[in-house]
Amino acid sequence: MSYNFPPLSIPPNTRIGAFAALSSKKSAKTTVNRIAGNEFHDAGYELVIFQHDDHNLLKCFGGTTRLELAKASQIMRGKSTLDLKNHTPLSDALISLADKTNRIVMLDGSAPGSERISSILNAGRFNKWLADRNIFFMFCVPLRPIQDSALGALAMMEELHQVMPDHFVVPVPVCDPDDLSLLPRNHPFFTVIKTARHGVIHLPALAEDIASGLERLERPLSDIADPDSEEALAYIMQASGHDRLVAGMIAEGAQQLITAFEKGIVPLALAPAE
Amino acid sequence: MKFHYIKLVMSGSSHHKGFVDALKAHWLDAGGPVSLTSFLWECRPTIAPLLEKGVSWNWLGPRVLAVFEEPDGSIEDGLTIADGRKKTLIELYSRSARRARAKTGAGRANPADENFRQRAENSGNLKPLSGQAKTEKVASATCSQVSDVPAIPPESVGATPHGTFSAGADPPIGRRARIRQSSEVRLKLDQ
């Protein structure tokens, strides 16, 4: 039996000025940011992107800035504010949202970075500063229906609810809903869904070879997914090393993610540019 | 949004049953699984009059949560709620009430919601409203300067133009329609 996720519930005309995918576990954060970045890019927004890990998967959507995290050895040597200093560009970008109404600041958090971001946002007092200007942060917390992932998501959500209570913390379950009937009713996955205050955005789980093929592609998902583009297919074949048929499946995987996310964020009323 | 009339004087299990039945009806009206915020929004016509009568969240809260978590379940009387969860419910409810006021316009707030807010503020369960959103420009909040353009690495090539494979001639709206259509075809094949 398929599970019915509560849909995303956000008041109309809400300005999402910042978006982040965060989790202390490995859980498709960058994939969620790629899909969201693709959506915002297609809708005509200017994206300013920050990331903790070193990769090129979001460069196609706009300028990216790598945020270094303080190493344990640095903190132990007394450089306790290094993380705050290193995140100053993020703070500056959030402040700029008051004047730049077509801008969205995106953060692709790493697992350790996700554990620190609540303290960083709290230090900057961004909960009230952004909400007072009717600019809202959407935090997406991806999770899979496994114990560790769900517990990590729950902890992340509780922290974000505490630090940014006026903003939107949205779990993103990545799974096949038909598989959830195998989970016990008290599984922490369901606790995460119930903890959601504004619904969830459900994304399908892709087959491993399709997902790993997508990770090798650095173009916008809409380009990769275009069913009419031979150039896109050729690019997928060249970048992934797969033949035409598997490349076609990878394109279909991108289509699945785009259409699922588009359906999931209907309340945001984004529309692709004409 | 339907209004499920309940005449309650708060004592006895009949009032528990009446309230729970109304909450379950609101769940059905909402069309099934919704977020907690949406559920509180739906239940406002039932909850607000009770708050106006002075019914405590200690009584309302556990029943609201129980129906939200198990809408098909049998909800027993005598439930309790942890302080933390009660505070969350109150905050989410007041947020939904604020949005209702914003939608209906200033000066037309539901009196029940206003009285609720006053009582909640007096009890210390709610922070006072901090006023309307500030519209004046802020030169600086916590930073010494506002960057007009935040630090963008010089090696950044900027955003890929839309429809790069078609040299910019393909608008996103057309491409998105093709993607949706292809996705539908694939779904049909999977069935």
Side-chain angles (χ1 to χ4, degrees), chain A residues 9 11 39 41-42 60 63-65 91 103 129 132-133 165 197 199 219 223 226 228 231 255-256 259 262 273, chain B residues 35 37-38 95 99 133-134 138 141 143 150-151 153 156 160 162 164-165 173 175-176 178 180 182-183 186:
Chain A
S9 169
E39 203 67 25
H41 179 54
D42 278 357
C60 56
T64 59
T65 303
S91 173
R103 176 177 286 177
W129 195 90
D132 280 352
R133 289 155 182 79
R197 293 176 180 176
R219 307 306 290 250
D223 284 355
D226 190 342
D228 281 4
E231 291 158 297
Q255 288 165 17
Q256 274 185 276
T259 50
E262 182 186 57
Chain B
S35 67
T37 309
S38 294
R95 215 178 280 175
R99 284 177 194 147
K134 294 179 178 54
V138 176
C143 303
S156 166
T160 301
H162 293 123
T164 308
F165 287 124
I173 192 168
R175 191 178 49 201
R176 186 57 64 91
R178 293 197 297 275
R180 280 191 213 111
S182 177
S183 196
R186 189 194 49 77

Side-chain angles (χ1 to χ4, degrees), chain A residues 4-7 9 11-12 38-39 41-42 48 50 59-65 89 91-93 95-96 99-100 103 123-124 128-129 131-134 165-168 185 194 196-199 219-220 222-229 231-232 235 252 255-256 258-259 262 272-274, chain B residues 33-38 68-70 85 88 91-92 95 98-99 103 127 130-153 155-167 170-176 178-180 182-183 186 190:
Chain A
N4 283 332
F5 291 106
S9 169
N38 185 73
E39 203 67 25
H41 179 54
D42 278 357
V48 175
F50 298 91
K59 258 195 163 127
C60 56
F61 300 124
T64 59
T65 303
S91 173
D92 289 347
I95 300 286
S96 77
D99 294 326
K100 299 284 183 185
R103 176 177 286 177
K128 188 172 184 305
W129 195 90
D132 280 352
R133 289 155 182 79
N134 286 324
D166 291 329
H167 299 262
F168 302 103
R185 291 196 71 158
K194 285 180 187 159
R197 293 176 180 176
H198 307 281
R219 307 306 290 250
S222 286
D223 284 355
I224 295 165
D226 190 342
D228 281 4
S229 173
E231 291 158 297
Y235 166 72
E252 284 184 7
Q255 288 165 17
Q256 274 185 276
I258 289 171
T259 50
E262 182 186 57
E274 294 187 22
Chain B
V34 291
S35 67
L36 182 53
T37 309
S38 294
F68 175 72
E69 289 174 358
E70 297 275 351
R85 295 206 85 185
T88 299
E91 179 54 37
L92 292 179
R95 215 178 280 175
R98 280 202 292 272
R99 284 177 194 147
K103 277 190 179 179
K127 290 178 286 191
S130 55
Q132 300 304 312
K134 294 179 178 54
T135 54
E136 74 275 17
K137 283 196 177 182
V138 176
S140 167
T142 59
C143 303
S144 58
Q145 62 177 4
V146 173
S147 303
D148 180 49
V149 176
I152 294 177
E155 66 272 19
S156 166
V157 296
T160 301
H162 293 123
T164 308
F165 287 124
S166 312
D170 189 16
I173 192 168
R175 191 178 49 201
R176 186 57 64 91
R178 293 197 297 275
I179 289 170
R180 280 191 213 111
S182 177
S183 196
R186 189 194 49 77
D190 285 349

Side-chain angles (χ1 to χ4, degrees), chain A:
Chain A
M1 190 193 316
S2 193
Y3 184 84
N4 283 332
F5 291 106
L8 185 67
S9 169
I10 282 185
N13 303 317
T14 295
R15 179 187 169 193
I16 300 295
F19 182 96
L22 301 170
S23 170
S24 60
K25 306 292 177 184
K26 179 155 172 60
S27 59
K29 294 184 284 293
T30 301
T31 301
V32 169
N33 272 323
R34 282 183 83 184
I35 302 166
N38 185 73
E39 203 67 25
F40 298 141
H41 179 54
D42 278 357
Y45 285 93
E46 176 207 357
L47 298 182
V48 175
I49 302 166
F50 298 91
Q51 56 191 63
H52 291 131
D53 286 334
D54 189 9
H55 61 72
N56 292 324
L57 295 173
L58 300 173
K59 258 195 163 127
C60 56
F61 300 124
T64 59
T65 303
R66 173 107 191 273
L67 301 173
E68 297 267 359
L69 292 171
K71 298 180 179 49
S73 56
Q74 290 171 316
I75 297 171
M76 279 157 53
R77 284 201 300 275
K79 295 187 189 295
S80 55
T81 59
L82 196 54
D83 272 333
L84 294 176
K85 287 183 186 142
N86 289 348
H87 281 78
T88 296
L90 173 65
S91 173
D92 289 347
L94 292 173
I95 300 286
S96 77
L97 290 173
D99 294 326
K100 299 284 183 185
T101 54
N102 197 47
R103 176 177 286 177
I104 294 180
V105 173
M106 293 191 68
L107 172 63
D108 184 32
S110 63
S114 295
E115 287 179 340
R116 300 182 205 181
I117 203 64
S118 299
S119 304
I120 290 165
L121 292 172
N122 199 43
R125 303 183 190 181
F126 282 108
N127 177 61
K128 188 172 184 305
W129 195 90
L130 289 168
D132 280 352
R133 289 155 182 79
N134 286 324
I135 303 169
F136 294 93
F137 217 129
M138 180 185 275
F139 299 98
C140 280
V141 183
L143 70 152
R144 298 184 190 275
I146 54 178
Q147 181 96 353
D148 192 45
S149 177
L151 288 173
L154 197 60
M156 189 79 246
M157 286 175 66
E158 283 168 354
E159 215 173 82
L160 289 168
H161 279 154
Q162 259 191 321
V163 164
M164 303 285 284
D166 291 329
H167 299 262
F168 302 103
V169 182
V170 180
V172 178
V174 182
C175 61
D176 182 343
D178 291 339
D179 292 342
L180 298 180
S181 58
L182 300 171
L183 296 182
R185 291 196 71 158
N186 62 351
H187 194 280
F189 179 87
F190 298 120
T191 311
V192 171
I193 306 303
K194 285 180 187 159
T195 305
R197 293 176 180 176
H198 307 281
V200 312
I201 299 171
H202 167 238
L203 290 178
L206 301 181
E208 202 175 310
D209 44 358
I210 305 299
S212 65
L214 270 175
E215 278 184 18
R216 286 182 224 140
L217 310 176
E218 296 177 3
R219 307 306 290 250
L221 286 179
S222 286
D223 284 355
I224 295 165
D226 190 342
D228 281 4
S229 173
E230 277 295 323
E231 291 158 297
L233 204 58
Y235 166 72
I236 298 169
M237 288 162 64
Q238 176 265 316
S240 69
H242 286 299
D243 62 23
R244 184 182 179 89
L245 296 179
V246 177
M249 288 290 288
I250 291 173
E252 284 184 7
Q255 288 165 17
Q256 274 185 276
L257 293 176
I258 289 171
T259 50
F261 192 78
E262 182 186 57
K263 187 176 157 195
I265 60 161
V266 159
L268 294 190
L270 299 180
E274 294 187 22

Side-chain angles (χ1 to χ4, degrees), chain B residues 36-57:
Chain B
L36 182 53
T37 309
S38 294
F39 183 56
L40 286 167
W41 168 269
E42 285 289 335
C43 295
R44 280 180 58 252
T46 299
I47 294 176
L50 296 175
L51 290 169
E52 169 64 13
K53 288 188 172 88
V55 177
S56 162
W57 275 103

